Amino acid sequence: MELRQLNYFIAVAEERHFGRAAKRLHMAQPPLSQQIRQLEEQLGVRLLDRTTRRVDLTAAGQVLLDRGRRIVGELEALEADVHQVGQGTTGVLRVGFCGSATYGTMPGLVRRAAQVLPGLSLALHGEMLTPAMEEGLRGHTLDAALLRPPVASPELEHRVVAREPLVVAVPSGGALDEDGPVAVHELQDQDFVACPPDSVLYRAGADLCRQAGFQPRIARVAGGTSALLSFVAAGGGVAVVPAGARAVQLAGVEYREIEHAPELELAVAWRREDRSALLHRFLDLVADLGSVADLGSVADP
């Protein structure tokens, strides 16, 4: 049975008249009658009872009509779905992102995606460090990632979407809880709360201290921004964080600018070989947002 024959039969069965069905199908009546007779011969059953006035369905014809309508409907839906996926207007993307992006970057990005790509469903994976996101991209468990360069994997592409300076989070009421920028050497006698050593933020903070002539004294290691700032609030030390982290207003934590602070980049990364139209629409969306302010960025390690 061909889909064309099924559509012919449905038209005749719904119209209960060959002439009206032929008009609906924009074809002559004799070829339509011939197609229905061929269909009956192929199936080995009579589908229609024909009279001079009307056409009635046999029991077999009723079964074919009921199930045929569902089949045609499913095929039409499938065709629409395939077209939308191919055009990049619908589908699922698995997106990883660095920890403190939870508080600003991703909410803003998700809102914008919902406006521009309403058929896109985002499966979000947060509080991830750059090495873990690279592994997820290489292993095809992530489709895109908002991470901190550098990106070590040659099979991955990345595009910088934002830059922000480092600041220092300090315990409220402590020696450093003052107005104005802090010089890096003022942190020399402080305990530090830091992200794991394989994170970009850890390396950036350590390089900052070494350039000022000292090694940071790491008192605590935290896996994400929320834990990092919780330790600061508890008086466990100071933490060097991206400026966007100031969006996290936590009791017991104050933020101070750092004199001559370097900037950290935030980038979107993906597999070089991935040609998905949906992915590249998402990448264009991220690029169009264009800045920390637009992203609402609160980026992390």
Side-chain angles (χ1 to χ4, degrees), residues 79-203:
E79 181 180 356
D81 289 346
V82 169
H83 177 74
Q84 289 176 341
V85 170
Q87 294 296 312
T89 59
T90 188
V92 178
L93 283 182
R94 300 159 298 175
V95 180
F97 55 95
C98 47
S100 58
T102 304
Y103 308 104
T105 305
M106 293 310 299
L109 183 55
V110 170
R111 283 193 298 270
R112 184 61 177 155
Q115 296 169 351
V116 177
L117 297 172
L120 169 63
S121 177
L122 292 174
L124 302 178
H125 304 265
E127 293 284 336
M128 298 183 71
L129 301 180
T130 292
M133 285 188 273
E134 289 195 49
E135 182 179 352
L137 289 168
R138 292 195 308 269
H140 292 251
T141 59
L142 293 177
D143 301 305
L146 283 164
L147 47 68
R148 295 292 186 184
V151 175
S153 305
E155 59 266 51
L156 302 182
E157 291 275 8
H158 73 280
R159 178 189 302 154
V160 174
V161 296
R163 294 176 176 83
E164 55 186 323
L166 294 173
V167 298
V168 60
V170 303
S172 300
L176 295 173
D177 184 7
E178 301 174 358
D179 293 330
V182 61
V184 179
H185 67 81
E186 296 180 58
L187 305 175
Q188 183 168 355
D189 297 326
Q190 300 294 317
D191 288 336
F192 279 76
V193 182
C195 288
D198 62 345
S199 72
V200 174
L201 184 56
Y202 177 96
R203 294 194 294 270

